[in-house]
Amino acid sequence: ANYKWKVSSSGDAAGDGVPSAGILIGALANTELFFLLPSHGHSKGGTLVTVFGNNFKGGEPRCRFGDRASTAGQFDDPMVLCTSPAGPFDTFTNIDLAVSFQGVSGWFNASSLFEYYPPPKVRGVSPNIGLRAGGASVTVFAQGFYDKPEIKCRIGEVVSDGIYTHIPESVVHRFPNADSAVVCMAPAALCTPLPCSVPVKVSINGREEEFHPDDPPQFYWHDPIAAVGMEPTAGPASGGTLVDLTVREIDQIPLGLSNLVSCSFTSNNDDFYIILPAFQTG
């Protein structure tokens, strides 16, 4: 047998030697908790943790993170869903996660610990504007990003893998309160008419409930802004010539970002294009 038990009964109403009502009050043998997914979450709580194990029997499950009780959701051997409670942690803290089952004595500890971390504070994104077709690399700067394999980005409603990175020296001055960054890939435009924007968020453990921040920076899309006239049309190879451009689609520049416009003299079928290497601080 997989468990030891005894029964408290109201009697043998059927007369067949089987108690008519009973409560399992013994302890399960061979019950094991193998691993947690994810194994970390922010100290605000609310992380949905899947606990994988073996021989989950008994009644309704209960979860405990350290000494803090928590709600348990779906129970389907071999897994239990636990929701992490908020914790008073302002730094990385590892705690035990345990599960018990109604009518069964004792708590069963997971073989690995659950790690709490302070919620990251997002400071901005760069660039925060790109072409309608998407594909731009968007870097999200924050205080408190952590290098975890489950990192996800959400731009609008599109979720994709994120890549943890250190802040390039070239942009440190733009985000003085940031100490880490995550690189995301911008999808094709998700809104109309252009220019338009959507929020940019990051989840360290990849869970939907942990995308940060509550007041996120925005990413904008625009159509190409083409230069259709230019005066003068030539200058010395050493550069330095002041050029006046006549452009179309200039209304594609979002309000408040016009001072961030720069020009790229890259030939493409004899057209010249305006480039927007914009950034946004939080």
Side-chain angles (χ1 to χ4, degrees):
N2 287 328
Y3 50 83
K4 299 176 182 179
W5 59 279
K6 63 180 180 178
V7 172
S8 173
S9 173
S10 59
D12 181 6
D16 58 2
V18 178
S20 56
I23 302 173
L24 188 66
I25 60 176
L28 295 179
N30 302 326
T31 296
E32 298 176 283
L33 307 186
F34 296 138
F35 63 94
L36 314 175
L37 186 67
S39 60
H40 46 270
H42 63 58
S43 57
K44 289 182 178 181
T47 301
L48 191 62
V49 182
T50 303
V51 183
F52 293 90
N54 180 56
N55 192 34
F56 290 173
K57 304 293 183 181
E60 182 180 349
R62 295 174 295 170
C63 303
R64 188 177 67 191
F65 290 71
D67 59 358
R68 293 171 178 262
S70 135
T71 57
Q74 180 181 351
F75 167 36
D76 182 14
D77 192 16
M79 68 180 186
V80 173
L81 299 183
C82 300
T83 302
S84 67
F89 310 119
D90 56 5
T91 186
F92 286 92
T93 304
N94 291 309
I95 63 169
D96 290 312
L97 192 159
V99 175
S100 70
F101 300 89
Q102 187 176 30
V104 178
S105 64
W107 288 84
F108 304 97
N109 287 323
S111 57
S112 58
L113 299 175
F114 183 81
E115 180 183 56
Y116 275 106
Y117 52 78
K121 298 178 181 179
V122 173
R123 301 303 185 184
V125 298
S126 177
N128 68 338
I129 188 167
L131 291 173
R132 176 195 291 268
S137 292
V138 180
T139 304
V140 184
F141 298 88
Q143 180 182 350
F145 277 157
Y146 314 111
D147 189 5
K148 300 292 185 181
E150 304 93 341
I151 290 178
K152 297 290 184 182
C153 303
R154 188 173 74 187
I155 298 180
E157 297 303 317
V158 175
V159 177
S160 61
D161 292 336
I163 301 174
Y164 177 87
T165 186
H166 296 289
I167 300 178
E169 289 294 332
S170 59
V171 296
V172 166
H173 65 284
R174 298 180 182 175
F175 307 97
N177 295 321
D179 58 16
S180 51
V182 169
V183 178
C184 310
M185 182 69 70
L190 300 172
C191 51
T192 56
L194 301 184
C196 60
S197 66
V198 295
V200 180
K201 296 186 176 184
V202 171
S203 173
I204 300 300
N205 62 15
R207 293 290 188 174
E208 175 67 23
E209 63 272 10
E210 293 208 14
F211 279 105
H212 302 286
D214 296 329
D215 183 22
Q218 300 287 305
F219 181 81
Y220 293 83
W221 286 278
H222 69 95
D223 283 320
I225 301 172
V228 295
M230 181 169 54
E231 181 63 37
T233 59
S238 58
T241 302
L242 182 63
V243 179
D244 290 327
L245 297 176
T246 302
V247 302
R248 67 170 186 262
E249 308 293 348
I250 194 63
D251 59 344
Q252 292 291 316
I253 302 175
L255 184 64
L257 298 182
S258 59
N259 62 323
L260 303 176
V261 175
S262 66
C263 302
S264 176
F265 291 84
T266 302
S267 179
N268 182 8
N269 295 328
D270 298 324
D271 284 338
F272 295 86
Y273 289 87
I274 305 296
I275 305 299
L276 301 177
F279 63 91
Q280 176 181 346
T281 58

